[in-house]
Amino acid sequence: MAGIKVFGHPASTATRRVLIALQEKDLDFELVHVELKDGEHKKQPFLSRNPFGKVPAFEDGDFKLFESRAITQYIAHEYADKGNQLLSPGSKNMAILAMGMEIEAHEFDSVASKLGWEQIFENFFGLTTDPAVVKEEEARLGGEDIGDSFRRDLKLISEVRAPFRGFRKFFYFAFSAAAGISTLFTIPRLIQAVRGGDGAPDLLGNAAINIGGIVVLLALFIWENKKEEEQMVQITRDETLSRLPLRLSTNRVVELVQLRDTVRPVILAGKKETVALAMQKADRFRTELLRRGVLLVPVVWGERKTPEVEKKRGFGASSKTAATSLPSIGEDFDTRTQSVVAQSKLKSEIRFKSEVVSPGEWERWIRDQQIAEGVVPGEDVYIILRLDGRVRRSGKGMPDWAEISKELPPMNDVLSKLER
Ligand SMILES: N[C@@H](CCC(=O)N[C@@H](CS)C(=O)NCC(=O)O)C(=O)O
């Protein structure tokens, strides 16, 4: 069929950019599927359409083009009188439009692609999201300092957890300001009162009440601020913990947050022999602990292996698995979104013991936790997490498994359902 042809993949954002323009213009076209997982875009005949081996490529009769934004420009101009108007007359309007397009191409697209890759596609490919990359890219999108946007997120979470704190702080501040102003007005008369003499007012009592009030209110204000700071530090720790990676018995790497509501991780941190002994002892209570959703997470101090998780980016990644065994991205969307199936599959992969993936990160988190709890960093400790991933309790040394079997409700127990 002559006419308009788009050579691309339905899940490719660059291909979609062209399809949107065609739809805006109400044009008939054919989408010729280029199978990225088979590397069709890196072979002939596709390379003769785009020597850079990227989709989409385009054809309108015998006019051929590649680069999605150039294609959309062509569509907008060539079919100016069809469908929706995509051009704006006048040099200034066109310059503003061009500015928007440059921003999309150079400021937005790279960030959005990285975020999409980190947060959506990596999960499809069994890789783990790197929270540091996500934070960094999100900050770039917001045009703010990384620190600022992270802090703003924390503040929001903190406000959700303590909804009236902002109001209380305002209240304390407003009242101390009022008392301060009133004291200020009283001062000249107060000096007169202190000097005494005829007509001197009796203001000492009033001033004392005002000053006392200010002290109390400011103390409350400072206390609230301190509480908020502490809570933000705690939220940061919870957030970091939820992103720590683990390898399951099936070799799958997950972040702790993915095991939410499924297991109660018990972190055993200490010297190699101590941790090994605790693991052995746990084996004797295996059935009981499994019924309670316990997943052992051993962390041996100083054991920093280089993470084996291979990171690859982009559709054209050279990894063997990406090239040979992955289903097409379109199909993958359908299958993987069936989260119920995925969740139950995950459950079957969790078998009592796991292995930490970036021991250095785990160690850092445990040491921070130890400092917060007033324990000497580097001591042997165990930390029991709740089903929602937050710390349930921790203790020095290694756990008494018999006691833990008694303490934790079985997974099908109503108490476990209430554990939030
Ligand atoms: N600047 C190009 C970028 C095209 C592009 O990156 N396409 C991706 C799919 S969204 C692709 O083909 N990637 C394969 C690869 O990089 O090997 C355009 O806008 O057309």
Side-chain angles (χ1 to χ4, degrees):
M1 181 176 95
I4 298 177
K5 285 186 186 173
V6 180
F7 301 82
H9 192 286
S12 137
T13 48
T15 305
R16 286 183 181 201
R17 190 172 289 123
V18 171
L19 302 186
I20 288 170
L22 291 168
Q23 257 150 25
E24 285 291 315
K25 288 283 161 195
D26 270 339
L27 295 169
D28 289 332
F29 63 90
E30 184 191 348
L31 174 63
V32 183
H33 190 98
V34 178
E35 190 48 86
L36 299 175
K37 82 161 166 67
D38 296 341
E40 269 179 28
H41 55 314
K42 301 290 179 201
K43 301 180 209 154
Q44 290 297 1
F46 185 83
L47 284 180
S48 62
R49 298 192 175 277
N50 180 353
F52 297 101
K54 291 183 178 188
V55 291
F58 178 84
E59 192 177 284
D60 186 4
D62 49 16
F63 180 63
K64 294 185 171 57
L65 208 56
F66 60 86
E67 279 299 328
S68 60
R69 293 175 185 89
I71 302 168
T72 56
Q73 290 273 348
Y74 166 78
I75 296 168
H77 284 91
E78 180 68 13
Y79 299 99
D81 50 2
K82 290 201 141 199
N84 293 323
Q85 186 52 260
L86 299 178
L87 302 170
S88 192
S91 50
K92 290 201 172 104
N93 284 344
M94 277 318 289
I96 293 169
L97 248 172
M99 186 171 75
M101 288 189 286
E102 289 293 312
I103 294 173
E104 185 276 324
H106 304 297
E107 306 293 340
F108 176 78
D109 187 62
S110 62
V111 176
S113 304
K114 274 194 201 142
L115 283 174
W117 174 253
E118 278 299 333
Q119 294 181 298
I120 302 169
F121 292 109
E122 282 205 345
N123 291 337
F124 290 164
F125 296 150
L127 298 170
T128 37
T129 301
D130 183 341
V133 175
V134 173
K135 284 267 170 274
E136 197 177 321
E137 295 303 322
E138 277 178 352
R140 212 157 274 152
L141 208 53
E144 293 166 28
D145 275 357
I146 297 163
D148 276 3
S149 107
F150 185 51
R151 230 186 131 68
R152 194 191 50 210
D153 288 355
L154 288 184
K155 252 192 138 37
L156 280 175
I157 304 174
S158 157
E159 268 160 33
V160 170
R161 292 207 185 155
F164 296 110
R165 173 173 291 136
F167 173 75
R168 284 198 301 272
K169 276 169 66 178
F170 172 76
F171 170 86
Y172 299 148
F173 184 76
F175 277 79
S176 17
I181 291 165
S182 143
T183 311
L184 209 68
F185 282 119
T186 316
I187 284 173
R189 299 181 65 210
L190 185 63
I191 295 169
Q192 207 191 335
V194 171
R195 279 193 190 136
D198 284 350
D202 177 22
L203 289 172
L204 278 172
N206 265 357
I209 292 168
N210 272 349
I211 293 168
I214 295 172
V215 171
V216 171
L217 289 166
L218 282 182
L220 284 168
F221 183 78
I222 293 166
W223 183 73
E224 282 288 355
N225 259 350
K226 194 166 159 270
K227 280 251 150 263
E228 187 178 28
E229 264 314 308
E230 281 170 9
Q231 195 185 34
M232 299 232 288
V233 170
Q234 183 57 49
I235 297 167
T236 311
R237 267 205 308 277
D238 287 352
E239 173 73 16
T240 313
L241 172 68
S242 71
R243 299 286 173 199
L244 290 175
L246 273 180
R247 189 187 306 281
L248 301 178
S249 52
T250 48
N251 228 10
R252 171 134 63 131
V253 174
V254 290
E255 285 179 356
L256 214 45
V257 68
Q258 289 170 268
L259 304 179
R260 202 189 163 123
D261 290 334
T262 316
V263 289
R264 289 190 177 99
V266 176
I267 303 169
L268 306 169
K271 289 178 281 302
K272 199 170 181 170
E273 313 74 55
T274 327
V275 173
L277 190 65
M279 299 278 288
Q280 262 177 30
K281 286 187 179 163
D283 244 349
R284 287 185 226 142
F285 293 85
R286 193 186 175 99
T287 318
E288 282 308 296
L289 294 173
L290 270 174
R291 277 186 63 215
R292 285 154 177 85
V294 167
L295 176 72
L296 301 179
V297 184
V299 180
V300 174
W301 294 134
E303 198 172 67
R304 289 159 200 249
K305 284 183 267 167
T306 355
E308 287 155 37
V309 196
E310 193 192 338
K311 286 263 169 191
K312 46 191 166 47
R313 292 169 202 286
F315 288 122
S318 59
S319 153
K320 281 182 218 101
T321 34
T324 54
S325 60
L326 290 170
S328 97
I329 295 155
E331 289 161 28
D332 218 34
F333 265 123
D334 296 340
T335 47
R336 299 268 182 153
T337 44
Q338 291 165 2
S339 61
V340 181
V341 180
Q343 189 69 17
S344 66
K345 191 165 171 289
L346 187 63
K347 270 188 194 164
S348 69
E349 289 184 42
I350 300 165
R351 295 202 198 97
F352 200 43
K353 288 176 197 167
S354 62
E355 194 190 315
V356 296
V357 171
S358 306
E361 279 179 54
W362 279 86
E363 227 180 88
R364 208 169 312 128
W365 181 84
I366 298 166
R367 283 176 193 271
D368 282 352
Q369 187 69 21
Q370 287 181 313
I371 294 168
E373 302 274 331
V375 176
V376 181
E379 270 194 44
D380 296 342
V381 281
Y382 66 91
I383 302 167
I384 308 175
L385 304 184
R386 292 169 197 269
L387 285 169
D388 68 3
R390 285 185 294 148
V391 175
R392 180 187 172 99
R393 90 176 164 79
S394 54
K396 286 190 193 177
M398 290 292 122
D400 176 338
W401 297 113
E403 202 179 277
I404 285 180
S405 309
K406 272 191 227 135
E407 171 191 329
L408 297 176
M411 289 296 277
N412 50 10
D413 194 294
V414 74
L415 283 174
S416 284
K417 300 198 169 46
L418 292 173
E419 189 184 270
R420 297 267 100 224

